[in-house]
Amino acid sequence: MTIRANTEPTLDAHAMVAEAERALADIARARESVARVIFGQESVVEQTLVAILAGGHALLVGVPGLAKTKLVETLGTVLGLNARRVQFTPDLMPSDIVGTEVMDQDEGGRRSFRFVRGPVFAQLLMADEINRASPRTQSALLQSMQEYHVTVAGERHDLPAPFHVLATQNPLEQEGTYPLPEAQLDRFLCQVDVHYPSIEAERRILLATTGVAEDKAVAVMTAERLREIQMLVRRMPVPESVVEAILSLVRSARPGQGSSEADTHVAWGPGPRASQAMMTCVRARALYERRLAPSIDDVRALAEPILQHRMALNFAARAEGIGVREVIARLARQAG
């Protein structure tokens, strides 16, 4: 098996394997701690944790009552992150997110401005119902997500590291909302669809959450340890076959690139940022699945969450009742 060379300095092979095995144990403990609180959402937990391990942000899409808020709170506890929540509303202003300057007066009567930090200065920020805020407020948050700092009155203020945004969106309610533009959706590493739980999972929810006491998640790592794992993810070697599968999948989702499926049903496809997202996420998913190297199966498993918000179907596909997930599934089967 050919391994693509990493351009960054790497650890000795034995030391890197030992570090990876430590990361596997830490991630396994994180999975177990989350599972004590979140029932029946294994794929949601997996994709969200993979996004965080890869150092990115995630958009959680699902109807109310599916434990999206509970999941974010639990992840903040388990990963040892300083977590905050913002409920997005139409009257929310950018200063309510990033912060603002206030005027102070000392005992001598001298006045000066002082910057009061907004909730974006957190290691894990939950942007609840992000599509309810105006585009101006959405842009303020999404700029922070991309640049990892805010500028107020000409002065730069760096955000804490690590910094992750988990935004939620209700796919049903459209009145009084401002859908995120495609260029801003592209800043989310992946889109995680949150579905209804199975009957067995819902039975566990009923029994575990309606009594006197509930199980609570416990911290299994610190923010510093999470940063170490995120750096390890970026140092992991990727087999050449997996790199080729990523390129094949992403490029096949673009019209005019020789894919009959894309030429027939896709209006516009994902850019290179999708390939970058896939490259980091396959490594993170390998660790999440207790493996030391990614495989083509990781590429296929992550095709939908990474591509679905980065492409759009044409009129012909919509007229035939074909959905973007169906197109991605066909493309993923051909990858590799």
Side-chain angles (χ1 to χ4, degrees):
M1 180 176 64
T2 303
I3 300 297
R4 175 172 292 271
N6 202 327
T7 58
E8 297 181 0
T10 58
L11 296 175
D12 175 80
H14 295 292
M16 189 169 183
V17 169
E19 187 177 349
E21 289 176 346
R22 273 207 315 133
L24 293 179
D26 289 339
I27 294 170
R29 285 195 295 271
R31 294 178 59 174
E32 293 170 2
S33 186
V34 172
R36 295 174 55 184
V37 180
I38 305 297
F39 307 121
Q41 297 285 8
E42 288 82 4
S43 64
V44 174
V45 173
E46 174 189 307
Q47 293 171 18
T48 306
L49 260 176
V50 163
I52 292 176
L53 294 173
H57 316 286
L59 179 64
L60 307 178
V61 179
V63 300
L66 297 183
K68 298 187 294 294
T69 302
K70 187 72 170 178
L71 172 61
V72 178
E73 293 175 351
T74 301
L75 289 175
T77 300
V78 170
L79 301 177
L81 301 177
N82 172 25
R84 294 186 182 180
R85 175 188 176 190
V86 177
Q87 182 67 48
F88 278 58
T89 58
D91 60 348
L92 197 71
M93 299 297 292
S95 59
D96 297 326
I97 300 292
V98 302
T100 186
E101 285 197 324
V102 298
M103 181 176 289
D104 286 340
Q105 182 172 327
D106 61 18
E107 296 177 355
R110 289 177 299 182
R111 296 177 180 178
S112 61
F113 286 101
R114 175 173 56 89
F115 178 62
V116 178
R117 295 186 171 191
V120 75
F121 287 87
Q123 293 171 321
L124 181 63
L125 177 67
M126 178 177 186
D128 209 354
E129 295 187 295
I130 189 174
N131 56 326
R132 285 190 173 276
S134 67
R136 183 180 178 186
T137 304
Q138 292 175 2
S139 297
L141 173 63
L142 294 166
Q143 183 180 17
S144 303
M145 293 165 50
Q146 184 70 20
E147 299 178 5
Y148 296 95
H149 71 263
V150 300
T151 304
V152 178
E155 186 175 350
R156 169 172 169 160
H157 302 272
D158 291 327
L159 297 175
F163 173 68
H164 301 282
V165 173
L166 298 181
T168 68
Q169 187 169 295
N170 181 351
L172 301 179
E173 198 167 5
Q174 300 299 325
E175 186 175 352
T177 62
Y178 302 87
L180 291 173
E182 285 75 11
Q184 294 182 342
L185 281 172
D186 196 31
R187 292 175 179 173
F188 287 99
L189 197 65
C190 61
Q191 175 181 317
V192 181
D193 292 331
V194 185
H195 302 291
Y196 291 112
S198 65
I199 186 171
E200 290 303 322
E202 194 159 358
R203 179 179 287 110
R204 289 186 63 194
I205 293 171
L206 292 178
L207 297 175
T209 62
T210 59
V212 176
E214 292 185 35
D215 280 338
K216 296 188 180 298
V218 296
V220 300
M221 68 175 72
T222 63
E224 291 75 17
R225 177 57 182 150
L226 176 61
R227 286 284 291 166
E228 292 174 1
I229 296 176
Q230 290 172 343
M231 293 304 298
L232 172 66
V233 166
R234 288 186 170 270
R235 291 198 305 267
M236 288 177 63
V238 180
E240 185 70 29
S241 60
V242 175
V243 176
E244 292 302 320
I246 292 172
L247 290 171
S248 173
L249 172 63
V250 175
R251 295 182 65 83
S252 70
R254 303 169 186 164
Q257 297 293 322
S259 169
S260 60
E261 181 70 33
D263 291 342
T264 305
H265 297 128
V266 178
W268 52 268
R273 191 175 289 169
S275 302
Q276 294 172 319
M278 184 71 76
M279 192 73 166
T280 54
C281 284
V282 294
R283 295 159 164 162
R285 187 176 188 271
L287 286 180
Y288 185 86
E289 296 289 338
R290 301 181 176 90
R291 289 181 280 111
L292 299 181
S295 68
I296 295 177
D297 288 338
D298 295 315
V299 178
R300 296 192 179 108
L302 292 169
E304 182 178 305
I306 288 179
L307 296 182
Q308 63 176 322
H309 61 299
R310 291 186 166 98
M311 55 190 295
L313 302 186
N314 56 27
F315 177 78
R318 296 195 299 270
E320 295 175 21
I322 296 175
V324 67
R325 296 174 184 84
E326 183 179 348
V327 171
I328 293 174
R330 294 173 183 173
L331 296 173
R333 284 195 292 268
Q334 301 169 7

